[in-house]
Amino acid sequence: MGDQTGPGPTESVRQDLRLLEAAGAHREGASARRLAQEAGLSEVTAGRLLRELARDGYLHELDDGAYTLRERDGLSTAVDGRALSEHIRPLLSSLRDGLSAAVYLTLYDEGEIRIMEIVDSPNAPRVDLWVSFQDAGHATALGKSVLRELDGEARANYLSRHSLADLTPRTITSREELLRQLDSAPAGPLSLDRGEYARGTTCAAAPVYNGDQVGAVGISFRSDRMYRTTEVRARLLESALRVTRRLTLPGY
């Protein structure tokens, strides 16, 4: 994919929190320059994050360019059906429509990679889930994205409980080869599977976080479809950050 290094979702959310805390100290609003200084960020980085936070409803941009906290309804950080449908699903739908591909959200919960949401359409059908994602973490971009983010102990625990089943001729069935691929992946947060879970299907995924809980947002599409990799990367990373914000900062 030609990934480029840059701040991942967790670092961006930490920066978000610093800006939100700074904005909370100025009930009448504060300029981007002042908020950048108080958050310890460059004006360029702060300006970009402030615009994104305003777009996503965390801040209100005043006519003079100052920012204030927006009044928000409280929302539990638990990922329940209501939170997904009201706060996460619209982001996944936007990604589906932007890339014309089915979109998936997974979270690592109690030692398993669980699908929390699938957003598809007649023009962007989901992959045939012929094997549970819980048992196919080694063969999916979503699973590999989660496994890549786990620490060594958690990863070893998962692999000790799941066999690396041979799902297609492209599936990695060697634990050593899977670990080598996870640890030697190019810098950047995207993971891929090219026909490893289902013949003729390519998937790409990026990590998301619900506090300390890791997950992934990903897309699937027919392998014979042509995609601009730079567009896929940009849209996936933007969506991953926005989902992480919704999960981590829901009621700020």
Side-chain angles (χ1 to χ4, degrees):
M1 280 284 185
D3 297 332
Q4 301 172 1
T5 58
T10 50
E11 177 58 29
S12 292
V13 171
R14 291 191 190 101
Q15 295 171 342
D16 291 340
L17 281 169
R18 284 150 57 187
L19 287 169
L20 291 170
E21 289 170 355
H26 302 280
R27 295 182 61 86
E28 302 303 318
S31 67
R33 172 174 292 184
R34 182 164 185 176
L35 294 176
Q37 292 173 341
E38 295 182 3
L41 300 173
S42 70
E43 288 188 39
V44 173
T45 296
R48 173 177 57 81
L49 293 175
L50 288 167
R51 289 190 295 272
E52 292 175 357
L53 288 166
R55 176 198 62 191
D56 288 344
Y58 294 96
L59 294 173
H60 180 64
E61 185 174 6
L62 305 178
D63 291 339
D64 62 359
Y67 291 89
T68 62
L69 285 179
R70 184 184 294 272
E71 294 296 326
R72 296 175 58 82
D73 296 329
L75 173 68
S76 168
T77 56
V79 186
D80 55 23
R82 179 174 177 272
L84 281 172
S85 63
E86 294 185 4
H87 297 269
I88 304 299
R89 192 176 177 86
L91 300 180
L92 305 182
S93 297
S94 177
L95 180 60
R96 175 201 62 196
D97 296 341
L99 292 177
S100 298
V103 177
Y104 311 78
L105 174 67
T106 64
L107 286 176
Y108 192 65
D109 180 49
E110 297 182 346
E112 300 294 347
I113 300 169
R114 304 187 190 278
I115 295 182
M116 307 305 296
E117 188 80 345
I118 301 176
V119 180
D120 59 357
S121 71
N123 294 326
R126 69 183 66 185
V127 67
D128 178 17
L129 303 179
W130 69 288
V131 175
S132 168
F133 269 35
Q134 291 180 208
D135 298 318
H138 64 296
T140 66
L142 290 154
K144 288 193 284 186
S145 182
V146 170
L147 291 173
R148 185 176 173 184
E149 296 301 306
L150 294 179
D151 62 33
E153 181 179 355
R155 186 190 291 176
N157 177 273
Y158 175 88
L159 293 175
S160 71
R161 295 179 288 103
H162 297 82
S163 62
L164 306 187
D166 186 3
L167 305 182
T168 78
R170 290 179 173 269
T171 305
I172 298 173
T173 57
S174 162
R175 176 171 174 166
E176 291 71 23
E177 174 60 20
L178 177 64
L179 292 174
R180 186 199 65 77
Q181 185 183 102
L182 293 174
D183 292 335
S184 64
L190 290 195
S191 296
L192 290 173
D193 89 70
R194 297 182 176 90
E196 296 168 46
Y197 175 79
R199 291 173 182 263
T201 298
T202 295
C203 300
V208 298
Y209 298 87
N210 178 31
D212 293 331
Q213 185 181 30
V214 66
V217 61
I219 61 170
S220 69
F221 50 91
R222 283 173 37 185
S223 298
D224 60 358
R225 291 188 59 182
M226 298 299 294
Y227 272 96
R228 293 179 58 186
T229 56
T230 53
E231 180 182 5
V232 169
R233 181 185 187 279
R235 287 184 178 272
L236 261 179
L237 295 185
E238 178 188 20
S239 296
L241 175 56
R242 297 184 73 185
V243 168
T244 295
R245 280 183 178 141
R246 292 286 175 92
L247 293 172
T248 307
L249 311 172
Y252 194 92

